[in-house]
Amino acid sequence: MTGGSGGIGGAVARRLAADGTAVVIHYSGGAARAEAVVESVTAAGGTAVALPGDIAEPTEMSELFDAAERRFGGIDVVVNTAGIMRLAPLAEMELDAFDRMHRVNVRGTFVVSQLAARRLPPGGALINFSTSVTRLQQPGYGGYAATKGAVEAMTLILARELRGRDVTVNTVAPGPTATPLFVEGKSEEQIAGIAAAAPLERLGTPEDIAEAVAFLAGPGGRWINGQVLFSNGGIA
């Protein structure tokens, strides 16, 4: 899984490992965080390894897929949580910030999805990540939401292109989730206001999102294909 050293990625890794899945935790710049996730998985009796790579570079990601196949004999599930977010009104956003989001969120998803499409066996699953902001249309999120809209389009079309392969392709779109990245730079008042917006009147947790991924990755999700699953407590 890509982005496995992040708050949501780490929770997904631990949840899938709890189901008996051997997990490859990809990271780009967070080696220490990735190793911490590996330690938490193995401490709970699971199997995990951390491997580096630039998500937007086909050669590096192909080598990561090769390493996973050599170590575990194959790849059954690909979860693509890697992504970055830069916020600013569209009229004020620096083009470099938008380009970086596009490189990671769009090109990176394309690279990983292409490799998954070529390598996943029958019964396999690809799970990409979008965001509920594509529905919320919040000011300041235009550049970020644009990259995630591209992820949704790419994912849903790929599901149709893999007709006859018995491989499911879906996207999980989290709402506001209590991760360090979300909390950073926000006041307690801002966080409370965002939490109150959902009918369940709380923020999501990384574990909430991990449950959605585990469903799509497991036998219960085999009839879910070509969909965007909004895991957001009803906020949108």
Side-chain angles (χ1 to χ4, degrees):
M1 61 172 296
T2 70
S5 63
I8 290 176
V12 171
R14 288 186 287 271
R15 179 63 181 82
L16 294 180
D19 283 343
T21 302
V23 182
V24 174
I25 297 167
H26 156 269
Y27 65 92
S28 178
R33 294 195 305 273
E35 290 296 343
V37 175
V38 170
E39 291 175 9
S40 67
V41 168
T42 55
T47 301
V49 62
L51 296 173
D54 183 340
I55 191 175
E57 287 300 326
T59 300
E60 293 189 26
M61 296 311 294
S62 182
E63 290 172 354
L64 186 145
F65 272 64
D66 289 342
E69 289 174 343
R70 285 194 302 269
R71 189 176 186 101
F72 298 115
I75 299 171
D76 299 308
V77 177
V78 174
V79 183
N80 194 19
T81 70
I84 61 173
M85 180 172 62
R86 301 289 184 267
L87 302 181
L90 205 65
E92 301 171 13
M93 174 167 279
E94 296 287 340
L95 189 56
D96 284 348
F98 180 74
D99 285 344
R100 175 145 177 75
M101 283 195 294
H102 190 278
R103 187 178 190 278
V104 175
N105 298 355
V106 181
R107 176 177 165 134
T109 297
F110 176 88
V111 168
V112 172
S113 295
Q114 187 175 69
L115 287 166
R118 292 171 176 173
R119 301 199 189 202
L120 282 171
L126 167 63
I127 302 157
N128 285 326
F129 263 68
S130 180
T131 171
S132 290
V133 175
T134 56
R135 285 189 175 182
L136 292 171
Q137 293 102 40
Q138 291 171 288
Y141 285 79
Y144 175 67
T147 68
K148 292 303 189 176
V151 168
E152 292 184 13
M154 194 187 320
T155 305
L156 303 190
I157 291 171
L158 179 58
R160 278 75 185 172
E161 291 176 344
L162 296 186
R163 172 182 291 274
R165 287 273 304 277
D166 190 27
V167 171
T168 61
V169 185
N170 294 288
T171 297
V172 173
T177 304
T179 65
L181 180 64
F182 172 81
V183 172
E184 183 179 356
K186 294 183 177 70
S187 67
E188 291 186 10
E189 184 179 9
Q190 287 174 312
I191 294 169
I194 294 169
L200 296 180
E201 296 187 334
R202 69 172 177 85
L203 296 176
T205 67
E207 290 72 25
D208 289 326
I209 312 306
E211 289 295 336
V213 174
F215 167 65
L216 293 174
R222 292 308 302 169
W223 193 233
I224 310 300
N225 190 31
Q227 304 298 319
V228 179
L229 177 57
F230 287 87
S231 181
N232 60 25
I235 197 170

